[in-house]
Amino acid sequence: MSNILVTGGAGFIGSNFLNYMVKKYPENNFYNLDKLTYAGNLENLSLIENETNYTFIKGDIQDNKLVKSIFDKYDITTVINFAAESHVDRSIENPDIFLKTNILGTQVLLEAAKNKWELNSSDKYDTAYKNNVKFIQVSTDEVYGTLGSDGMFTEATPLNPNSPYSVSKASADLLVRAYNETYKLPINITRCSNNYGPHQFPEKLIPLMINNALEGKKLPVYGDGQQIRDWLHVKDHCTAIDKVYNEGISGEVYNIGGNNEKANIDIVKLILKKLGKSSDQIEFVTDRLGHDRRYAIDNSKITSDLKWEPSYVFETGLEETIQWYLNNQNWTKHIVTGDYMNYYKAMYNNR
Ligand code: NAD
Ligand code: DAU
């Protein structure tokens, strides 16, 4: 039996992960520590909120005392750290909170795990690792920076982050690595490409475009719209983390991608087509500062070592996602709070 601390489990990927894992592993206990920032939404967890192996704790990963008390009270054996400020545009406006949550918060979790697990001998390390005692850091392909028209990110690609967000994630990755090297903390780092699917906050490209199309608003495409991202369905990301949790070799980094490169403008056009809307709704707007041109993940390590591969076909996954947003317009209404709208105005008015 494992006692798994999932941080940021009320957000997009964390909630999809918990909805999948809590039912799949009834013998394990899952503790969801989430601060419920603008991006955290407990409605995402309604399917599991009454399960006996699931507990929600509202709090900040930077809160040393709280984190230590959770480790002690629940005898935490595993950490899967999703908690983060995750939106690049927000990091360009206000880097401060990104450095605090994404770097200092990760350090608080690492320190609590190190103290609880006391693993500084190789015997203890091996035993711990066999028993799934480990710290999984959910990171991003953005730590590698940007690609030209050729090549892909492998786990050996040097870190070269360009935005305050990606710098904060790269810094956290280095801290996680240091706790493995220095204190023998069993760790894995996963670096994933762009996720899409249900429950994604409508500040990110796909849900923002779906909602704007439905509301008859303009669809704001940054720059020339030719930037490329490698899209992965969130449920494929969840199965990949499950694989890493069960079979990942301690100390290893695993890239996770969808083998699915698309230019932003093509995604926006596809969404409009699927909704039967006119491409007149597209509006090219000022580019994002320091906008990374292309991301592409080389999946070969996780595919060959852990026998994971993505299962979704993008067009089907996108259709299902559009349908989910059509069926769950109340979900969107509930999260589109005054704060979000103020942010939205600051980001897009006069752009
Ligand atoms: P999200 O913004 O939807 O959710 C983040 C969650 O973390 C929210 O529930 C929020 O309340 C919580 N949180 C934020 N600060 C916190 C704090 N200080 N203490 C506790 N909880 C806090 O993010 P997401 O898209 O679900 O991303 C999850 C993780 O995956 C992040 O670490 C992100 O960097 C990484 N990632 C995301 C993508 C993507 O495409 N969305 C791709 C690769 C990696
Ligand atoms: O690559 C993984 C990363 O993917 C994650 O680490 C981040 O947490 C996640 O937010 C995402 O970052 P991106 O910046 O790639 O995602 P976003 O949805 O913000 O933008 C995707 C692309 O679409 C990007 O090139 C910018 C562009 N874009 C975005 C928005 C919100 C637009 O053209 N218009 C928009 O309004």
Side-chain angles (χ1 to χ4, degrees), residues 155-200:
E155 290 79 358
T157 303
L159 303 190
N160 196 21
N162 290 318
S163 71
Y165 162 72
S166 52
V167 165
S168 70
K169 294 297 288 185
S171 306
D173 284 13
L174 294 178
L175 272 172
V176 173
R177 182 183 174 281
Y179 270 70
N180 177 251
E181 289 288 330
T182 309
Y183 308 112
K184 305 290 171 232
L185 194 77
I187 63 105
N188 288 120
I189 297 171
T190 59
R191 296 192 180 131
C192 187
S193 60
N194 287 60
N195 284 215
Y196 71 99
H199 297 296
Q200 186 167 32

Side-chain angles (χ1 to χ4, degrees), residues 11-13 34-35 37 40 60-61 82 86 139 165 169 193 195:
F12 166 49
I13 305 173
D34 197 298
K35 188 177 169 186
T37 68
D60 192 326
I61 57 168
F82 292 93
S86 70
S139 185
Y165 162 72
K169 294 297 288 185
S193 60
N195 284 215

Side-chain angles (χ1 to χ4, degrees), residues 7-31:
T7 66
F12 166 49
I13 305 173
S15 63
N16 274 284
F17 183 72
L18 279 166
N19 282 319
Y20 169 67
M21 296 288 279
V22 166
K23 301 242 181 197
K24 182 170 179 193
Y25 296 103
E27 71 281 17
N28 290 339
N29 295 312
F30 293 85
Y31 301 94

Side-chain angles (χ1 to χ4, degrees), residues 45-319:
L45 296 153
S46 56
L47 288 178
I48 54 161
E49 66 192 359
N50 295 322
E51 298 294 335
T52 51
N53 63 333
Y54 169 74
T55 305
F56 173 70
I57 304 152
K58 183 176 184 314
D60 192 326
I61 57 168
Q62 293 174 78
D63 184 340
N64 261 303
K65 213 168 139 196
L66 172 69
V67 169
K68 183 181 179 317
S69 73
I70 293 170
F71 270 78
D72 289 341
K73 181 169 178 192
Y74 300 114
D75 197 17
I76 296 300
T77 57
T78 311
V79 177
I80 307 182
N81 183 25
F82 292 93
E85 289 293 332
S86 70
H87 192 40
V88 174
D89 290 325
R90 286 179 188 260
S91 83
I92 294 167
E93 293 299 306
N94 178 18
D96 189 65
I97 180 87
F98 283 75
L99 307 189
K100 288 181 176 145
T101 289
N102 299 1
I103 307 174
L104 298 179
T106 301
Q107 195 268 334
V108 167
L109 295 169
L110 286 164
E111 192 62 18
K114 180 197 95 178
N115 291 337
K116 176 76 182 167
W117 300 339
E118 292 176 343
L119 289 166
N120 45 12
S121 82
S122 57
D123 286 358
K124 285 187 187 167
Y125 181 84
D126 289 345
T127 318
Y129 170 61
K130 277 189 204 114
N131 292 326
N132 269 353
V133 173
K134 65 162 77 166
F135 190 108
I136 300 178
Q137 174 68 5
V138 180
S139 185
T140 169
D141 59 359
E142 299 201 10
V143 298
Y144 298 122
T146 187
L147 292 164
S149 50
D150 295 329
M152 297 180 119
F153 299 132
T154 73
E155 290 79 358
T157 303
L159 303 190
N160 196 21
N162 290 318
S163 71
Y165 162 72
S166 52
V167 165
S168 70
K169 294 297 288 185
S171 306
D173 284 13
L174 294 178
L175 272 172
V176 173
R177 182 183 174 281
Y179 270 70
N180 177 251
E181 289 288 330
T182 309
Y183 308 112
K184 305 290 171 232
L185 194 77
I187 63 105
N188 288 120
I189 297 171
T190 59
R191 296 192 180 131
C192 187
S193 60
N194 287 60
N195 284 215
Y196 71 99
H199 297 296
Q200 186 167 32
F201 196 86
E203 65 188 351
K204 306 280 165 64
L205 181 76
I206 289 181
L208 185 137
M209 296 300 169
I210 296 172
N211 284 326
N212 282 18
L214 290 175
E215 289 176 8
K217 290 184 184 161
K218 291 287 184 191
L219 275 61
V221 174
Y222 297 166
D224 63 3
Q226 293 301 331
Q227 301 80 12
I228 291 178
R229 298 292 182 265
D230 171 3
W231 293 92
L232 177 76
H233 196 281
V234 64
K235 291 189 177 159
D236 280 330
H237 189 186
C238 294
T239 59
I241 297 174
D242 184 14
K243 274 276 184 191
V244 171
Y245 163 67
N246 279 301
E247 296 170 37
I249 305 295
S250 189
E252 293 293 318
V253 176
Y254 295 98
N255 283 354
I256 305 169
N259 301 328
N260 182 40
E261 290 182 52
K262 300 266 181 253
N264 294 338
I265 187 67
D266 294 335
I267 295 208
V268 173
K269 284 183 178 161
L270 193 56
I271 290 170
L272 286 168
K273 190 172 155 212
K274 301 266 177 215
L275 286 169
K277 304 276 183 180
S278 158
S279 56
D280 291 349
Q281 277 182 257
I282 294 174
E283 180 176 49
F284 289 93
V285 299
T286 312
D287 209 350
R288 174 185 278 176
L289 295 178
H291 199 170
D292 285 341
R293 194 69 181 167
R294 176 173 165 256
Y295 304 145
I297 285 269
D298 179 338
N299 257 342
S300 46
K301 179 172 172 181
I302 192 166
T303 312
S304 63
D305 292 5
L306 305 188
K307 311 285 176 254
W308 171 87
E309 51 184 47
S311 65
Y312 274 80
V313 174
F314 181 69
E315 278 225 21
T316 321
L318 184 66
E319 270 166 23

